Amino acid sequence: MGQEAAARAPIAGVIVIIGGAVAAVGSFLPWVGVTIDPSVSLPPGTSASQSIGGLNQDSGKITLILGIVAIVAGLVMLSASSRGLRRGMAALALVAGLLVGGVVALNLATRDSQLDAAFDDQASLIAGQIDAPPEEIEAQMREVFTVGYAFGIYIALLGGAVALVGGVMGVASKGDTTAAATTADADWAPAARDSGAGPDLGPSPDSGPGGDMGVPPPPMP
């Protein structure tokens, strides 16, 4: 058990680094995909599909920062000689992974409200330019544009989950040194009893020249 706990420490640090890197990379990738209805005629060279990166919104910036925090925590977990510092960094990585998951989950849960706000803002902007009712413009926009989440947001979520697992492993390895010492003592004690090992107390004061304890030397003629 002690050896297993000690082996978990470097593995946990590597897992935390991988999770933080995945979360950071996912923050740069597309989080939102926009597709324009094929029936709409577009100018030459204009793509019917557009993507919006995670860094274009606050959620992606937060997950990037948290991913960097997890990477730093994992590096310290690998290099620190203090068990307390390693556990502290593991706890930090755990929190960072949880926050990444929370930020992404909140983003996914509020999808409809975000879309409504985006359509309202764009419709109001266009209505002011062409002098048309915002409601009509918004209705037309909803018919033309299809908006959904892209793969980047799920990669960021995966990275947060991996960092969380590494943090849990690092915190769980808190008893590595004590457990190893206890195991070593437990293994030594039976061996010492079986071999009869013990301290050398030297010859007994009652032993005579003959070497037998308690037997007096023969009388001199």
Side-chain angles (χ1 to χ4, degrees), residues 33 37 111 115 218:
D37 191 285
R111 171 184 179 274
L115 287 178

Side-chain angles (χ1 to χ4, degrees), residues 2-219:
Q3 294 178 349
E4 293 177 358
R8 278 201 302 265
I11 295 176
V14 172
I15 292 176
V16 167
I17 294 174
I18 293 175
V22 171
V25 170
S27 303
F28 287 96
L29 297 176
W31 278 31
V32 177
V34 181
T35 304
I36 302 175
D37 191 285
S39 62
V40 177
S41 59
L42 299 174
T46 302
S47 175
S49 298
Q50 301 291 333
S51 61
I52 302 175
L55 294 183
N56 290 329
Q57 49 185 307
D58 294 338
S59 299
K61 296 175 183 177
I62 294 174
T63 55
L64 173 61
I65 294 174
L66 293 172
I68 295 174
V69 169
I71 293 174
V72 174
L75 291 174
V76 175
M77 290 172 63
L78 291 178
S79 60
S81 58
S82 169
R83 182 162 56 93
L85 180 57
R86 291 197 304 269
R87 286 188 59 207
M89 290 297 101
L92 178 62
L94 189 157
V95 173
L98 278 176
L99 290 177
V100 169
V103 169
V104 174
L106 180 62
N107 196 301
L108 294 172
T110 58
R111 171 184 179 274
D112 293 338
S113 61
Q114 293 184 68
L115 287 178
D116 291 341
F119 279 125
D120 290 342
D121 292 342
Q122 293 299 318
S124 299
L125 179 62
I126 296 174
Q129 296 175 350
I130 63 175
D131 192 20
E135 295 78 8
E136 291 184 8
I137 297 176
E138 181 176 346
Q140 293 176 3
M141 291 176 61
R142 289 181 180 274
E143 293 178 359
V144 172
F145 296 103
T146 301
V147 182
Y149 284 109
F151 62 94
I153 192 171
Y154 300 107
I155 291 179
L157 178 62
L158 175 62
V162 173
L164 172 63
V165 171
V168 171
M169 291 178 60
V171 172
S173 65
K174 60 183 179 179
D176 51 359
T177 305
T178 304
T182 303
T183 302
D185 292 343
D187 292 341
W188 176 85
R193 288 196 301 268
D194 295 341
S195 62
D200 186 6
L201 301 179
S204 169
D206 296 334
S207 61
D212 295 329
M213 295 181 58
V215 179

